[in-house]
Amino acid sequence: MSGKARRNGNGDAVTMSDIARHAGVSPMTVSRALSDPSTVSDKMRRKVEAAVRHYGYLPNRIAGSLSSKRSNVVGLIVPSFRNSLYASMIQAISDVLRANGFHLMIANSGHSLDDEEAAVSAFLAQRVCGLVLHNTTHTKQLRELVRRTGVPVIETGNLPAEPLDMAVSYSNFEAARAMTAHLGRLGYRKIGFVTLPLADNDRSRERRRGYFAALKDMGLPVDPGLVLEAAGGGFAEGAGAVVRLVQTHPKLDAAFFAGDVLAMGALLECQRRGWRVPKRIAIASFDDLDLLHHSVPAVTTLRIPREAIGRRSAELLVNRLLGAQPERLRIDLGFEIVQRDST
Amino acid sequence: MSGKARRNGNGDAVTMSDIARHAGVSPMTVSRALSDPSTVSDKMRRKVEAAVRHYGYLPNRIAGSLSSKRSNVVGLIVPSFRNSLYASMIQAISDVLRANGFHLMIANSGHSLDDEEAAVSAFLAQRVCGLVLHNTTHTKQLRELVRRTGVPVIETGNLPAEPLDMAVSYSNFEAARAMTAHLGRLGYRKIGFVTLPLADNDRSRERRRGYFAALKDMGLPVDPGLVLEAAGGGFAEGAGAVVRLVQTHPKLDAAFFAGDVLAMGALLECQRRGWRVPKRIAIASFDDLDLLHHSVPAVTTLRIPREAIGRRSAELLVNRLLGAQPERLRIDLGFEIVQRDST
DNA sequence: CTGTTAGCGCGTTCAC
DNA sequence: GTGAACGCGCTAACAG
């Protein structure tokens, strides 16, 4: 190692030329031996590999990206990390990317469209090769940015009418409508709806729209008083909501919660108050938190294929990055109603 | 835009020279105007800003990093994304990093030391400026890699005897010991312990060691039959474990679960079987899943300051990257016993 | 199959 | 306060 200053704690790194020199080949041969070994003779390759091992050479992907104008980092933006429903999607994306030699950069928008835009800007400055956005409504600036740079983008979390590029999701509207209709079919007639915060959140609004649509389909009265907006998505909010609904509408026979934690909070509150579920009130949920399956009673819910969505998103992105033709896609992975004991 | 091929979907990007030319200044002035505006005259700065806005210029951080030998990307490796306990840490890290202009690259090791090493290698090749590892036992290669490159590293998830660099955590050993002692103080005498998988997981092993230590401290018999290893950390495993413990040890009066989901699974199973908690059996948990607070009965648990750990880790990293002197640190952020109705 | 040349788009360094 | 020259470490493109 030379005596050069080591700013930034980064020891003087071994470079490709160092390896080339010590292996007695040109840098280009080293480059090829590492990135596409089949284009190099066995003898050369072995010399390179030996030198690489000996010096513990780590290729500098920064330099590689600059030179090749290609990066292998995908940017993912989720509204928040705290919600477990993002976790299985992230896991799936991460797995697929890694299997294909890509890496994942991640940021959260805090449910703010402006923060989403800022994160996209920052990612684009890092020259990510692709983006996954858990959101389908964006600022004008963001749409412009994506259009101009031409990065492949996956939108998810909802099915947009006009995707920026590729969309992989399920329909919040259809899912909420289906569950509400399911409750109707089971004979429930006065069905409350507890929504997650609606501001800047198309997913929430679509779910509420689906609820209303189903009521109309069934010829049931649409009573806005039966709709409550929970301030957050926590257990306490679910508990508070079910109490308020039941107390203001004694004839309420079912409640549909737009989030799994809300539903669980409500169920626990019913337990505490001795309200029998589903006898006194039926409870249905959106999203299949594992817990809903193990609770007493187990909770009827909408199973969203979060993992498949993540996997498919990453696969589409990888294919595109590996050369697939650009193509505007809108893939609906659907949902499933899981009938259990709470309804 | 020129007619150059646009490989990789990346439109021909506007470069700093383009901006310089259109603003009638040198590229260097653009660089300064953007990275340290105070070193440039107002007039110049305004010209640059106008051109930047007009052309929607996005600086190329890849080129910047290569040139300056500095990056603003931190790498984080967690065992898995599926566990909510990582979520609050990730959120905190992400917030602190963003506030300081850093970005987050993320990978999961799947609880494998080799995969952790592979991820670190990949991150180092991307020239991340810092690392956070949720793990304190590593392969020899990894330790060597970190030493050689000199990247700042935070280890967390446990308190290592000899940190690689900086460690921010709580002690799994002390926490498990404290909870076991707490159960003893409450009068429980036959306390079962359900551990998470022990393989390649120092955290799990430390917790079990803490449990044994407390029993010895209290002069209680140490019965290996009272320790069960759950195959996974899910509800079902917790449920299965409590049943097995109770059936094989009729006199068991308490069970301590090394994971919050395990504990919850056990509680629900007790409910299903009509075993009163804590009358028939007391239940204590490790990690304060929100749910444990809302369940009936609410579950006694160990509160680990996951968010503070994330925040502090990121702060230490940022300080170091901003010039703080390297210093081997080992910060214990402690834990807290939350006594509730299940014990 | 291998090497040479010429950048990639910035920041550092040193003149002015 | 501003600019010119140079190089970061690698790969594309072409020549041999």
Short mmCIF file of all heavy atoms in Angstrom, two decimals, chain D:
data_model
loop_
_atom_site.label_atom_id
_atom_site.label_comp_id
_atom_site.label_asym_id
_atom_site.label_seq_id
_atom_site.Cartn_x
_atom_site.Cartn_y
_atom_site.Cartn_z
P DG D 1 -15.47 35.16 -2.27
OP1 DG D 1 -16.67 35.74 -1.77
OP2 DG D 1 -14.85 33.99 -1.68
"O5'" DG D 1 -15.50 35.03 -3.83
"C5'" DG D 1 -16.18 36.01 -4.56
"C4'" DG D 1 -15.84 35.80 -6.00
"O4'" DG D 1 -14.40 35.60 -6.12
"C3'" DG D 1 -16.49 34.58 -6.66
"O3'" DG D 1 -16.83 34.92 -8.00
"C2'" DG D 1 -15.38 33.53 -6.63
"C1'" DG D 1 -14.14 34.39 -6.81
N9 DG D 1 -12.93 33.83 -6.20
C8 DG D 1 -12.75 33.43 -4.91
N7 DG D 1 -11.55 32.97 -4.68
C5 DG D 1 -10.90 33.08 -5.91
C6 DG D 1 -9.56 32.74 -6.29
O6 DG D 1 -8.68 32.26 -5.57
N1 DG D 1 -9.32 33.03 -7.64
C2 DG D 1 -10.25 33.56 -8.50
N2 DG D 1 -9.84 33.76 -9.76
N3 DG D 1 -11.49 33.88 -8.17
C4 DG D 1 -11.73 33.60 -6.87
P DT D 2 -17.64 34.00 -8.94
OP1 DT D 2 -18.50 34.81 -9.82
OP2 DT D 2 -18.23 32.97 -8.06
"O5'" DT D 2 -16.55 33.31 -9.85
"C5'" DT D 2 -16.04 34.04 -10.99
"C4'" DT D 2 -14.92 33.27 -11.61
"O4'" DT D 2 -13.98 32.85 -10.60
"C3'" DT D 2 -15.33 31.98 -12.31
"O3'" DT D 2 -15.35 32.25 -13.71
"C2'" DT D 2 -14.24 30.96 -11.93
"C1'" DT D 2 -13.24 31.79 -11.15
N1 DT D 2 -12.55 31.11 -10.01
C2 DT D 2 -11.25 30.71 -10.17
O2 DT D 2 -10.62 30.86 -11.20
N3 DT D 2 -10.70 30.11 -9.07
C4 DT D 2 -11.32 29.89 -7.84
O4 DT D 2 -10.72 29.34 -6.91
C5 DT D 2 -12.67 30.33 -7.75
C7 DT D 2 -13.45 30.13 -6.48
C6 DT D 2 -13.24 30.91 -8.83
P DG D 3 -15.79 31.09 -14.74
OP1 DG D 3 -16.27 31.73 -15.99
OP2 DG D 3 -16.64 30.14 -14.02
"O5'" DG D 3 -14.39 30.42 -15.06
"C5'" DG D 3 -13.39 31.18 -15.69
"C4'" DG D 3 -12.14 30.35 -15.83
"O4'" DG D 3 -11.67 29.97 -14.51
"C3'" DG D 3 -12.33 29.03 -16.59
"O3'" DG D 3 -11.32 28.96 -17.58
"C2'" DG D 3 -12.17 27.96 -15.53
"C1'" DG D 3 -11.24 28.63 -14.53
N9 DG D 3 -11.36 28.14 -13.17
C8 DG D 3 -12.49 28.12 -12.40
N7 DG D 3 -12.29 27.64 -11.20
C5 DG D 3 -10.94 27.32 -11.17
C6 DG D 3 -10.15 26.77 -10.13
O6 DG D 3 -10.51 26.45 -9.01
N1 DG D 3 -8.83 26.61 -10.53
C2 DG D 3 -8.33 26.94 -11.77
N2 DG D 3 -7.04 26.71 -11.96
N3 DG D 3 -9.06 27.47 -12.74
C4 DG D 3 -10.35 27.62 -12.38
P DA D 4 -11.45 28.01 -18.83
OP1 DA D 4 -11.41 28.85 -20.04
OP2 DA D 4 -12.58 27.09 -18.60
"O5'" DA D 4 -10.10 27.18 -18.72
"C5'" DA D 4 -8.89 27.82 -18.30
"C4'" DA D 4 -7.78 26.79 -18.20
"O4'" DA D 4 -7.71 26.27 -16.85
"C3'" DA D 4 -7.95 25.57 -19.11
"O3'" DA D 4 -6.66 25.17 -19.56
"C2'" DA D 4 -8.61 24.54 -18.20
"C1'" DA D 4 -8.05 24.90 -16.82
N9 DA D 4 -9.01 24.71 -15.73
C8 DA D 4 -10.36 24.95 -15.75
N7 DA D 4 -10.97 24.70 -14.62
C5 DA D 4 -9.95 24.28 -13.78
C6 DA D 4 -9.95 23.87 -12.44
N6 DA D 4 -11.04 23.84 -11.68
N1 DA D 4 -8.77 23.50 -11.91
C2 DA D 4 -7.67 23.55 -12.67
N3 DA D 4 -7.55 23.92 -13.95
C4 DA D 4 -8.74 24.27 -14.45
P DA D 5 -6.40 23.89 -20.46
OP1 DA D 5 -5.29 24.20 -21.39
OP2 DA D 5 -7.69 23.38 -20.98
"O5'" DA D 5 -5.87 22.89 -19.34
"C5'" DA D 5 -4.82 23.31 -18.48
"C4'" DA D 5 -4.44 22.18 -17.53
"O4'" DA D 5 -5.45 22.06 -16.49
"C3'" DA D 5 -4.36 20.81 -18.20
"O3'" DA D 5 -3.23 20.14 -17.64
"C2'" DA D 5 -5.68 20.15 -17.83
"C1'" DA D 5 -5.91 20.71 -16.44
N9 DA D 5 -7.32 20.77 -16.02
C8 DA D 5 -8.41 21.10 -16.78
N7 DA D 5 -9.54 21.09 -16.12
C5 DA D 5 -9.17 20.74 -14.83
C6 DA D 5 -9.91 20.55 -13.65
N6 DA D 5 -11.23 20.71 -13.57
N1 DA D 5 -9.23 20.20 -12.54
C2 DA D 5 -7.90 20.05 -12.62
N3 DA D 5 -7.10 20.20 -13.66
C4 DA D 5 -7.80 20.54 -14.75
P DC D 6 -2.74 18.73 -18.25
OP1 DC D 6 -1.27 18.70 -18.18
OP2 DC D 6 -3.45 18.47 -19.53
"O5'" DC D 6 -3.30 17.69 -17.17
"C5'" DC D 6 -2.93 17.85 -15.80
"C4'" DC D 6 -3.80 16.96 -14.95
"O4'" DC D 6 -5.16 17.46 -14.91
"C3'" DC D 6 -3.90 15.52 -15.45
"O3'" DC D 6 -3.30 14.68 -14.49
"C2'" DC D 6 -5.40 15.27 -15.60
"C1'" DC D 6 -6.02 16.35 -14.72
N1 DC D 6 -7.42 16.75 -15.05
C2 DC D 6 -8.37 16.82 -14.04
O2 DC D 6 -8.02 16.55 -12.88
N3 DC D 6 -9.64 17.21 -14.33
C4 DC D 6 -9.96 17.51 -15.59
N4 DC D 6 -11.23 17.88 -15.83
C5 DC D 6 -9.01 17.44 -16.65
C6 DC D 6 -7.76 17.06 -16.34
P DG D 7 -2.94 13.18 -14.88
OP1 DG D 7 -1.55 12.92 -14.46
OP2 DG D 7 -3.39 12.90 -16.27
"O5'" DG D 7 -3.91 12.39 -13.89
"C5'" DG D 7 -4.09 12.86 -12.56
"C4'" DG D 7 -5.34 12.26 -11.98
"O4'" DG D 7 -6.50 12.97 -12.48
"C3'" DG D 7 -5.56 10.79 -12.36
"O3'" DG D 7 -5.91 10.08 -11.19
"C2'" DG D 7 -6.70 10.82 -13.36
"C1'" DG D 7 -7.48 12.04 -12.90
N9 DG D 7 -8.27 12.67 -13.95
C8 DG D 7 -7.90 12.89 -15.27
N7 DG D 7 -8.84 13.49 -15.96
C5 DG D 7 -9.88 13.68 -15.06
C6 DG D 7 -11.15 14.26 -15.24
O6 DG D 7 -11.62 14.77 -16.27
N1 DG D 7 -11.90 14.25 -14.06
C2 DG D 7 -11.47 13.72 -12.88
N2 DG D 7 -12.33 13.78 -11.86
N3 DG D 7 -10.28 13.17 -12.68
C4 DG D 7 -9.54 13.18 -13.82
P DC D 8 -5.83 8.54 -11.09
OP1 DC D 8 -4.69 8.16 -10.27
OP2 DC D 8 -5.96 8.02 -12.48
"O5'" DC D 8 -7.16 8.15 -10.33
"C5'" DC D 8 -7.58 8.82 -9.15
"C4'" DC D 8 -9.06 8.59 -8.96
"O4'" DC D 8 -9.79 9.50 -9.79
"C3'" DC D 8 -9.48 7.20 -9.39
"O3'" DC D 8 -9.59 6.39 -8.22
"C2'" DC D 8 -10.85 7.39 -10.04
"C1'" DC D 8 -10.97 8.90 -10.27
N1 DC D 8 -11.10 9.34 -11.70
C2 DC D 8 -12.20 10.10 -12.09
O2 DC D 8 -13.07 10.37 -11.26
N3 DC D 8 -12.28 10.52 -13.38
C4 DC D 8 -11.31 10.20 -14.25
N4 DC D 8 -11.44 10.64 -15.51
C5 DC D 8 -10.18 9.42 -13.86
C6 DC D 8 -10.12 9.01 -12.59
P DG D 9 -8.63 5.11 -8.06
OP1 DG D 9 -8.68 4.74 -6.63
OP2 DG D 9 -7.35 5.34 -8.75
"O5'" DG D 9 -9.42 3.99 -8.88
"C5'" DG D 9 -10.75 3.67 -8.53
"C4'" DG D 9 -11.42 3.03 -9.71
"O4'" DG D 9 -11.50 3.98 -10.78
"C3'" DG D 9 -10.67 1.82 -10.27
"O3'" DG D 9 -11.55 0.72 -10.21
"C2'" DG D 9 -10.33 2.22 -11.71
"C1'" DG D 9 -11.37 3.29 -12.00
N9 DG D 9 -10.94 4.28 -12.98
C8 DG D 9 -9.68 4.79 -13.16
N7 DG D 9 -9.62 5.69 -14.11
C5 DG D 9 -10.92 5.77 -14.59
C6 DG D 9 -11.47 6.57 -15.62
O6 DG D 9 -10.89 7.40 -16.33
N1 DG D 9 -12.84 6.35 -15.77
C2 DG D 9 -13.57 5.46 -15.03
N2 DG D 9 -14.87 5.38 -15.31
N3 DG D 9 -13.07 4.70 -14.06
C4 DG D 9 -11.75 4.91 -13.90
P DC D 10 -11.23 -0.68 -10.84
OP1 DC D 10 -11.85 -1.69 -9.98
OP2 DC D 10 -9.81 -0.77 -11.18
"O5'" DC D 10 -12.07 -0.62 -12.19
"C5'" DC D 10 -13.48 -0.58 -12.10
"C4'" DC D 10 -14.07 0.00 -13.36
"O4'" DC D 10 -13.28 1.10 -13.79
"C3'" DC D 10 -14.07 -0.95 -14.56
"O3'" DC D 10 -15.34 -1.59 -14.62
"C2'" DC D 10 -13.86 -0.05 -15.76
"C1'" DC D 10 -13.52 1.31 -15.16
N1 DC D 10 -12.32 1.93 -15.75
C2 DC D 10 -12.47 2.80 -16.82
O2 DC D 10 -13.61 3.01 -17.27
N3 DC D 10 -11.38 3.40 -17.34
C4 DC D 10 -10.17 3.16 -16.83
N4 DC D 10 -9.12 3.78 -17.37
C5 DC D 10 -9.98 2.26 -15.74
C6 DC D 10 -11.07 1.67 -15.23
P DT D 11 -15.46 -2.83 -15.59
OP1 DT D 11 -16.59 -3.61 -15.05
OP2 DT D 11 -14.15 -3.46 -15.81
"O5'" DT D 11 -15.90 -2.17 -16.97
"C5'" DT D 11 -17.14 -1.47 -17.05
"C4'" DT D 11 -17.26 -0.83 -18.42
"O4'" DT D 11 -16.11 0.02 -18.67
"C3'" DT D 11 -17.30 -1.81 -19.59
"O3'" DT D 11 -18.21 -1.25 -20.52
"C2'" DT D 11 -15.88 -1.77 -20.12
"C1'" DT D 11 -15.57 -0.29 -19.94
N1 DT D 11 -14.14 0.09 -19.89
C2 DT D 11 -13.70 1.14 -20.66
O2 DT D 11 -14.43 1.77 -21.41
N3 DT D 11 -12.36 1.43 -20.52
C4 DT D 11 -11.44 0.79 -19.72
O4 DT D 11 -10.26 1.15 -19.69
C5 DT D 11 -11.97 -0.29 -18.93
C7 DT D 11 -11.06 -1.03 -18.02
C6 DT D 11 -13.28 -0.59 -19.05
P DA D 12 -18.90 -2.17 -21.59
OP1 DA D 12 -20.29 -2.30 -21.11
OP2 DA D 12 -18.07 -3.35 -21.87
"O5'" DA D 12 -18.91 -1.25 -22.91
"C5'" DA D 12 -19.25 0.12 -22.80
"C4'" DA D 12 -18.89 0.83 -24.10
"O4'" DA D 12 -17.47 1.16 -24.10
"C3'" DA D 12 -19.13 0.02 -25.37
"O3'" DA D 12 -19.58 0.92 -26.38
"C2'" DA D 12 -17.76 -0.56 -25.70
"C1'" DA D 12 -16.82 0.50 -25.15
N9 DA D 12 -15.60 -0.05 -24.56
C8 DA D 12 -15.49 -1.15 -23.75
N7 DA D 12 -14.28 -1.38 -23.33
C5 DA D 12 -13.53 -0.36 -23.89
C6 DA D 12 -12.16 -0.04 -23.82
N6 DA D 12 -11.27 -0.75 -23.12
N1 DA D 12 -11.73 1.04 -24.51
C2 DA D 12 -12.62 1.75 -25.20
N3 DA D 12 -13.94 1.56 -25.34
C4 DA D 12 -14.32 0.47 -24.65
P DA D 13 -19.96 0.40 -27.82
OP1 DA D 13 -20.98 1.36 -28.29
OP2 DA D 13 -20.26 -1.05 -27.77
"O5'" DA D 13 -18.62 0.60 -28.65
"C5'" DA D 13 -18.05 1.90 -28.77
"C4'" DA D 13 -16.77 1.78 -29.56
"O4'" DA D 13 -15.74 1.23 -28.70
"C3'" DA D 13 -16.89 0.82 -30.76
"O3'" DA D 13 -16.35 1.46 -31.91
"C2'" DA D 13 -16.09 -0.40 -30.34
"C1'" DA D 13 -15.05 0.23 -29.42
N9 DA D 13 -14.47 -0.70 -28.45
C8 DA D 13 -15.10 -1.74 -27.81
N7 DA D 13 -14.32 -2.40 -26.99
C5 DA D 13 -13.10 -1.76 -27.09
C6 DA D 13 -11.86 -1.97 -26.47
N6 DA D 13 -11.64 -2.94 -25.59
N1 DA D 13 -10.85 -1.14 -26.80
C2 DA D 13 -11.08 -0.16 -27.68
N3 DA D 13 -12.20 0.14 -28.32
C4 DA D 13 -13.18 -0.71 -27.98
P DC D 14 -16.67 0.76 -33.38
OP1 DC D 14 -17.30 1.81 -34.17
OP2 DC D 14 -17.31 -0.57 -33.23
"O5'" DC D 14 -15.18 0.52 -33.90
"C5'" DC D 14 -14.18 1.50 -33.62
"C4'" DC D 14 -12.86 0.81 -33.37
"O4'" DC D 14 -12.94 -0.02 -32.19
"C3'" DC D 14 -12.44 -0.15 -34.50
"O3'" DC D 14 -11.33 0.40 -35.18
"C2'" DC D 14 -12.10 -1.46 -33.78
"C1'" DC D 14 -11.95 -1.01 -32.33
N1 DC D 14 -12.18 -2.10 -31.37
C2 DC D 14 -11.17 -2.46 -30.47
O2 DC D 14 -10.10 -1.82 -30.49
N3 DC D 14 -11.37 -3.48 -29.60
C4 DC D 14 -12.53 -4.14 -29.61
N4 DC D 14 -12.69 -5.13 -28.74
C5 DC D 14 -13.59 -3.80 -30.51
C6 DC D 14 -13.38 -2.79 -31.37
P DA D 15 -10.84 -0.31 -36.60
OP1 DA D 15 -10.78 0.77 -37.60
OP2 DA D 15 -11.60 -1.55 -36.85
"O5'" DA D 15 -9.36 -0.71 -36.19
"C5'" DA D 15 -8.57 0.15 -35.36
"C4'" DA D 15 -7.44 -0.67 -34.76
"O4'" DA D 15 -7.98 -1.55 -33.75
"C3'" DA D 15 -6.73 -1.56 -35.80
"O3'" DA D 15 -5.33 -1.41 -35.65
"C2'" DA D 15 -7.21 -2.97 -35.46
"C1'" DA D 15 -7.50 -2.87 -33.96
N9 DA D 15 -8.56 -3.79 -33.50
C8 DA D 15 -9.80 -3.97 -34.04
N7 DA D 15 -10.53 -4.87 -33.42
C5 DA D 15 -9.71 -5.31 -32.40
C6 DA D 15 -9.88 -6.26 -31.38
N6 DA D 15 -11.01 -6.96 -31.23
N1 DA D 15 -8.86 -6.47 -30.53
C2 DA D 15 -7.73 -5.77 -30.70
N3 DA D 15 -7.44 -4.84 -31.61
C4 DA D 15 -8.48 -4.67 -32.44
P DG D 16 -4.29 -2.05 -36.71
OP1 DG D 16 -3.11 -1.17 -36.64
OP2 DG D 16 -5.01 -2.29 -37.99
"O5'" DG D 16 -3.93 -3.46 -36.08
"C5'" DG D 16 -2.97 -3.54 -35.04
"C4'" DG D 16 -3.05 -4.90 -34.44
"O4'" DG D 16 -4.41 -5.23 -34.14
"C3'" DG D 16 -2.57 -6.03 -35.37
"O3'" DG D 16 -1.35 -6.54 -34.87
"C2'" DG D 16 -3.67 -7.09 -35.32
"C1'" DG D 16 -4.51 -6.64 -34.13
N9 DG D 16 -5.91 -7.04 -34.19
C8 DG D 16 -6.87 -6.64 -35.10
N7 DG D 16 -8.03 -7.19 -34.91
C5 DG D 16 -7.84 -8.00 -33.80
C6 DG D 16 -8.75 -8.85 -33.11
O6 DG D 16 -9.95 -9.04 -33.38
N1 DG D 16 -8.16 -9.49 -32.04
C2 DG D 16 -6.83 -9.34 -31.67
N2 DG D 16 -6.42 -10.03 -30.61
N3 DG D 16 -5.96 -8.55 -32.29
C4 DG D 16 -6.55 -7.91 -33.35
#
